[in-house]
């Protein structure tokens, strides 16, 4: 069920400026409904990619398709953890994370595309339950992550925008010859 407060787009001051491009990618509307719709569309794309392309990189030194999907899931885990803490009024600052270290130390190269997609689906389902269960007060709470103040609402929108960013990169740079 849609809630009006979940359709309020985060504004500058609710997130670090480097997240503005992610938030701008998210369409207007209820963010929980957007996250739910988005995962269905992303899974359709991921499940259409042949396993033989899983290790494809569009340039030397860039992540493979497997690594991109794994990174989306890892980043969502981090964003959801931050949202959980801040929504519960935990004001303890949380550190940033080095996405390149996460990717280089993950088992993505040994994981099938199907399993990576399934893993991301489960992460998203957990995120959906988290965000859907928050009231307006919890969604507007803030905390410090990576040295910047961020609202729980912004973390939901960042999650959606981050995935959109990587889907766009996959389509433009990895899957153009399909």
């Amino acid at each position: 069920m849609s809630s009006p407060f979940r359709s309020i787009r985060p504004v500058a001051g609710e997130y670090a400026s480097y997240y503005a491009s992610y938030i701008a990618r998210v369409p207007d509307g209820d963010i929980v409904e957007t996250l739910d719709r988005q995962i269905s569309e992303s899974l359709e794309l991921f499940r259409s990619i042949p396993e033989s392309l899983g290790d494809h990189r569009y340039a030397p030194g860039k992540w493979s398709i497997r690594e991109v999907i794994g990174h989306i899931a890892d980043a969502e885990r981090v964003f959801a953890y931050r949202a959980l803490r801040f929504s519960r009024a935990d004001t303890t600052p949380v550190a940033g994370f080095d996405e390149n270290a996460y990717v280089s130390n993950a088992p993505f190269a040994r994981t099938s595309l199907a399993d990576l997609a399934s893993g991301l689906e489960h992460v998203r389902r957990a995120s959906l339950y988290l965000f859907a269960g928050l009231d307006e007060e919890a969604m507007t709470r803030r905390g410090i992550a990576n040295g910047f103040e961020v609202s729980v609402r912004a973390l939901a929108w960042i999650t959606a925008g981050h995935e959109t960013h990587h889907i766009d990169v996959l389509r433009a740079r990895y899957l153009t010859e399909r």
Side-chain angles (χ1 to χ4, degrees):
M1 184 171 147
S2 184
S3 296
F5 69 87
R6 293 196 318 226
S7 296
I8 299 170
R9 182 177 291 278
V11 297
E14 286 187 62
Y15 52 86
S17 60
Y18 55 82
Y19 286 127
S21 66
Y22 290 163
I23 291 171
R25 293 174 174 272
V26 181
D28 289 335
D30 184 303
I31 191 59
V32 172
E33 291 174 3
T34 297
L35 287 164
D36 190 33
R37 185 175 52 256
Q38 179 186 52
I39 193 61
S40 297
E41 294 166 1
S42 295
L43 290 171
E44 183 178 336
L45 172 66
F46 298 152
R47 291 177 175 148
S48 76
I49 301 170
E51 187 65 37
S52 61
L53 290 181
D55 294 322
H56 173 66
R57 299 166 194 273
Y58 72 86
K62 296 298 182 181
W63 292 342
S64 69
I65 292 174
R66 287 180 215 285
E67 290 168 333
V68 171
I69 298 169
H71 164 71
I72 294 168
D74 277 356
E76 183 157 337
R77 286 179 179 102
V78 170
F79 299 148
Y81 171 71
R82 292 171 178 176
L84 172 66
R85 287 186 61 162
F86 302 155
S87 73
R88 303 301 196 253
D90 182 345
T91 59
T92 308
V94 294
F97 74 106
D98 180 346
E99 66 274 3
N100 290 308
Y102 273 48
V103 168
S104 66
N105 289 291
F108 303 144
R110 300 185 309 272
T111 308
S112 70
L113 290 174
D115 284 348
L116 288 167
S118 180
L120 176 58
E121 179 178 20
H122 289 290
V123 169
R124 177 55 59 88
R125 297 287 167 225
S127 297
L128 285 166
Y129 280 106
L130 171 65
F131 290 119
L134 299 178
D135 62 16
E136 186 171 8
E137 181 181 355
M139 286 289 276
T140 59
R141 287 189 181 121
R142 297 174 185 221
I144 304 295
N146 198 28
F148 295 94
E149 188 173 68
V150 64
S151 71
V152 174
R153 172 180 38 231
L155 287 162
W157 289 69
I158 290 165
T159 299
H162 177 261
E163 183 170 326
T164 298
H165 162 74
H166 285 291
I167 293 296
D168 290 348
V169 170
L170 279 171
R171 287 191 169 138
R173 296 190 177 163
Y174 290 82
L175 304 173
T176 56
E177 299 170 5
R178 291 183 69 209

